[in-house]
Amino acid sequence: MTSNQIVTPRRPVGPQQRAGDRRGGDLLSIGAVLAYLREDFPEVTISKIRFLEAEGLVEPQRTPSGYRKFGPADVERLAYVLRMQRDHYLPLRVIREHLDAIERGEAPPALPPAGERPGPLEQADRELDTPAPGGVRLGRAELLAAAGAEERELAEWESYGLVVAGPDGGYDADTLQIARLVAELGRFGLEPRHLRQVKAAAEREVALVDQVVAPLRRHRNPQTRAHAETTARELATLAVRLHATMVQAGLRGQAR
């Protein structure tokens, strides 16, 4: 397979296929789906599958008692999403566009050549450089669904100050991203108590950036104040790159 060849699901994933699944066929529990997917994606978890469902990338059936039941098309959609994330670092928004195109009977957008695909660090840079959507407010239940987490997990994150609700009790886009990352780290065995050092390091970096931009934010000129926010994002991106590069260099040093 060439590096820029489009990879599509092995079975149709359109509405007719999903409708066929709902009329019968081989329906699987979430545990059976997990066992099947782990052959190719050993890192996948039940929480990950629930998260992808919350994001609207798969819509399993529900039994009267509330249990999820997945048809063949649902499993193929999950495999496609996981493959695009692992092999091509595509964000969920782009993967959803691919799946929508496939459902319409169209070819999904061409994948960029291997040399042009962003690695995990570059993708993080892009996301950090894009301001979070303004005005996004999630309730507690919505945050739990979007992060693929349980109530007890959120309560523990809040007890360690990793996730903080706003004055109105809601959560913004930045908090949602933090919750998702904390949940992902938790699947590798990192507990909230382990992440206190990460939070402390982030607070020190915020203070460092603030030393540079605070005079700009207090300036009388509106353009200068606007420049302060651009400068803050640039500094944050550089700080994240420095931190990630130092961690990667340290891990490589230990592997020698």
Side-chain angles (χ1 to χ4, degrees):
M1 182 180 298
T2 59
S3 60
N4 61 348
Q5 182 176 346
I6 297 173
V7 181
T8 56
R10 291 188 295 275
R11 301 189 186 96
V13 291
Q16 293 181 347
Q17 175 72 25
R18 286 208 297 272
D21 293 340
R22 281 161 169 71
R23 289 194 297 270
D26 297 326
L27 296 179
L28 303 175
S29 67
I30 193 170
V33 172
L34 178 67
Y36 173 82
L37 291 174
R38 276 188 168 167
E39 294 181 10
D40 293 325
F41 309 98
E43 74 286 353
V44 72
T45 63
I46 284 180
S47 295
K48 177 73 170 183
I49 296 173
R50 289 173 178 165
F51 166 67
L52 294 176
E53 178 189 356
E55 290 292 299
L57 291 161
V58 65
E59 299 177 7
Q61 298 182 55
R62 291 279 186 163
T63 67
S65 55
Y67 291 102
R68 297 172 175 84
K69 290 295 181 180
F70 296 80
D74 297 318
V75 178
E76 289 299 331
R77 284 176 69 91
L78 287 169
Y80 184 81
V81 172
L82 295 170
R83 190 179 306 114
M84 291 299 102
Q85 286 187 311
R86 182 194 64 191
D87 298 344
H88 304 287
Y89 306 114
L90 294 185
L92 293 182
R93 172 184 57 80
V94 176
I95 297 174
R96 186 178 290 109
E97 293 173 357
H98 281 223
L99 291 172
D100 289 345
I102 294 170
E103 286 195 348
R104 295 192 299 268
E106 304 171 0
L111 297 170
E116 297 180 10
R117 295 180 197 139
L121 182 56
E122 289 74 15
Q123 183 64 35
D125 284 347
R126 292 184 182 183
E127 294 176 357
L128 183 61
D129 196 45
T130 303
V136 175
R137 303 300 294 176
L138 300 175
R140 196 172 186 86
E142 293 173 314
L143 181 73
L144 289 170
E150 306 291 340
E151 171 63 37
R152 60 174 181 78
E153 294 176 303
L154 178 55
E156 188 175 15
W157 300 345
E158 290 179 322
S159 71
Y160 283 94
L162 299 173
V163 173
V164 180
D168 61 352
Y171 304 88
D172 60 19
D174 286 330
T175 305
L176 171 58
Q177 180 67 0
I178 290 171
R180 286 172 170 170
L181 291 170
V182 171
E184 286 293 333
L185 289 168
R187 287 159 199 151
F188 287 91
L190 292 175
E191 300 176 7
R193 59 189 176 88
H194 300 137
L195 301 179
R196 287 182 297 183
Q197 298 180 33
V198 177
K199 181 175 185 295
E203 290 172 345
R204 289 193 294 270
E205 290 173 2
V206 168
L208 187 62
V209 171
D210 190 58
Q211 289 180 19
V212 178
V213 300
L216 300 177
R217 285 173 172 157
R218 293 194 296 265
H219 203 278
R220 293 182 179 181
N221 189 325
Q223 292 182 341
T224 302
R225 293 198 298 270
H227 179 63
E229 302 312 312
T230 302
T231 301
R233 287 198 300 272
E234 292 176 352
L235 287 171
T237 300
L238 290 171
V240 167
R241 285 191 62 84
L242 176 61
H243 179 87
T245 303
M246 286 182 169
V247 171
Q248 291 174 346
L251 291 174
R252 281 194 294 269
Q254 290 182 357
R256 293 191 185 110

